[in-house]
Amino acid sequence: MNWKYKVNEALSEFAGFQIRRVGKAEKTSVARSVASDDLVRPPADPDADRLLVAPVFVLSPVRSGSTLLRAVLNAHSMLHAPHELHVRRLAVGFGTPLAEKAMDALGHNQADLEHLLWDRVLHRELVRSGKKYVVDKTPANAFAFERIATCWPDARFVFLLRHPASIARSWHEASPDKRNAEQAALDALRYMKATQRARRALGGLTLRYEDLTEAPEDQTRRICDFLNIPWEPEMLSYGEQTVLQKGLGDWKDKIQSGTVQRGRALPTPEEIPEVLRPICRTWGYLPEPADRRP
């Protein structure tokens, strides 16, 4: 066993990757995410190109109660809301220049093929569930809302907000060894800003986590009205969760209770980090300063 093999074996075990020499032909086979906006376009024929009909996307920051909302929605007989799916990270690549040329002759670029893949994955999951509509609640989807809205022109969006200081605190508590309180606030703020950009750009329904936990029936009725489906009382007792692990949704005891639990008390104004005060005002959790009021 030579030293190169030993290094690669160690890298594979502890880091999850290996180093290898890439030849000229191999370079074209590496899947890469689409960055250029001009490559991203709606389906040429939505009826033929898309299997999903009116998918639902919950866009929210991390630690905002999206796993609770997912469980509530999944309890509805018409809604299938699986764990976080991260389909936006599924990419395709052309194995050879001839493959790229062949797809181009069919009218497909890389973004088109990725959208077909995303649609197929979600549709397969929906068909296996036996329900009518799929719901995806992956928080990172907020960073790709334009592509999601382009991929599925008939998609429907539910925005879930929570007090920004509560989000930051929960994000810190989720991995205190990974990020301190200040780092958690800054990292969570990225998700909040992405969610806010999506709210400004897309139509949809906005919910607050605090309202969902205080008045779950009222809020679930609002959701059902928005989705044009009948309300079902089973949504209030969503039952046992089969997928509870970090990275795919909330795994804490509260979510395992099977019913909507009241949230903890809101932070006081003095407990709100300075970096989160602007988004708190935007979302109505802090009043505007007196000198800015009309």
Side-chain angles (χ1 to χ4, degrees):
M1 184 183 294
N2 62 35
W3 68 270
K4 294 179 183 178
Y5 186 89
K6 290 180 179 179
V7 168
N8 263 337
E9 188 178 54
L11 283 172
S12 179
E13 180 177 357
F14 297 107
F17 64 87
Q18 294 184 344
I19 298 174
R20 68 189 181 99
R21 189 174 184 177
V22 178
K24 196 169 187 180
E26 291 179 309
K27 289 182 180 178
T28 60
S29 67
V30 179
R32 59 200 185 280
S33 60
V34 176
S36 177
D37 289 341
D38 61 354
L39 292 179
V40 180
R41 57 197 181 190
D45 183 350
D47 293 334
D49 293 355
R50 295 293 176 266
L51 298 172
L52 280 181
V53 175
V56 180
F57 292 90
V58 175
L59 298 184
S60 70
V62 291
R63 311 303 301 173
S64 59
S66 60
T67 298
L68 170 63
L69 181 55
R70 182 208 66 77
V72 167
L73 296 178
N74 192 56
H76 195 286
S77 64
M78 297 176 67
L79 302 175
H80 178 52
H83 58 77
E84 295 173 14
L85 297 174
H86 301 276
V87 292
R88 81 182 185 97
R89 291 299 190 185
L90 300 180
V92 301
F94 300 107
T96 65
L98 280 177
E100 184 171 7
K101 189 177 295 185
M103 291 301 100
D104 182 65
L106 294 178
H108 302 311
N109 63 28
Q110 185 187 348
D112 298 333
L113 296 174
E114 288 177 355
H115 290 171
L116 289 170
L117 172 63
W118 299 358
D119 182 67
R120 181 67 181 88
V121 169
L122 289 184
H123 183 261
R124 178 180 183 273
E125 180 61 25
L126 178 62
V127 169
R128 294 178 70 189
S129 75
K131 295 187 177 184
K132 187 170 183 178
Y133 301 112
V134 72
V135 180
D136 186 4
K137 74 90 183 173
T138 309
N141 281 344
F143 295 105
F145 72 87
E146 291 125 326
R147 282 201 70 181
I148 290 171
T150 303
C151 179
W152 293 282
D154 62 344
R156 295 171 291 176
F157 297 93
V158 175
F159 303 98
L160 180 64
L161 309 184
R162 186 183 184 186
H163 193 300
S166 296
I167 291 175
R169 181 168 60 179
S170 182
W171 193 225
H172 169 55
E173 292 172 352
S175 299
D177 56 332
K178 189 175 181 180
R179 57 183 82 85
N180 61 33
E182 182 180 358
Q183 292 168 334
L186 288 170
D187 192 35
L189 183 59
R190 296 189 305 113
Y191 287 86
M192 299 179 212
K193 288 181 175 179
T195 301
Q196 182 59 20
R197 288 193 293 270
R199 286 183 71 209
R200 285 198 304 261
L202 305 172
L205 174 69
T206 296
L207 303 175
R208 293 179 184 272
Y209 168 77
E210 296 83 4
D211 294 336
L212 179 62
T213 55
E214 279 288 326
E217 181 173 340
D218 290 344
Q219 296 306 305
T220 52
R221 285 185 180 275
R222 287 185 65 214
I223 297 170
C224 289
D225 287 345
F226 171 67
L227 298 179
N228 196 28
I229 58 177
W231 181 78
E232 295 179 356
E234 289 78 10
M235 300 174 77
L236 303 182
S237 297
Y238 53 81
E240 182 181 358
Q241 298 302 289
T242 57
V243 179
L244 290 166
Q245 68 184 80
K246 199 170 183 179
L248 299 182
D250 197 344
W251 67 102
K252 301 296 186 180
D253 290 341
K254 186 178 286 189
I255 202 68
Q256 298 184 51
S257 68
T259 59
V260 179
Q261 304 289 306
R262 296 189 67 175
R264 55 185 169 186
L266 291 181
T268 65
E270 295 72 28
E271 294 175 310
I272 301 174
E274 189 63 34
V275 70
L276 296 180
R277 288 181 172 271
I279 194 71
C280 283
R281 294 190 183 98
T282 299
W283 287 358
Y285 288 99
L286 265 183
E288 289 287 345
D291 59 351
R292 293 188 186 179
R293 294 174 192 165

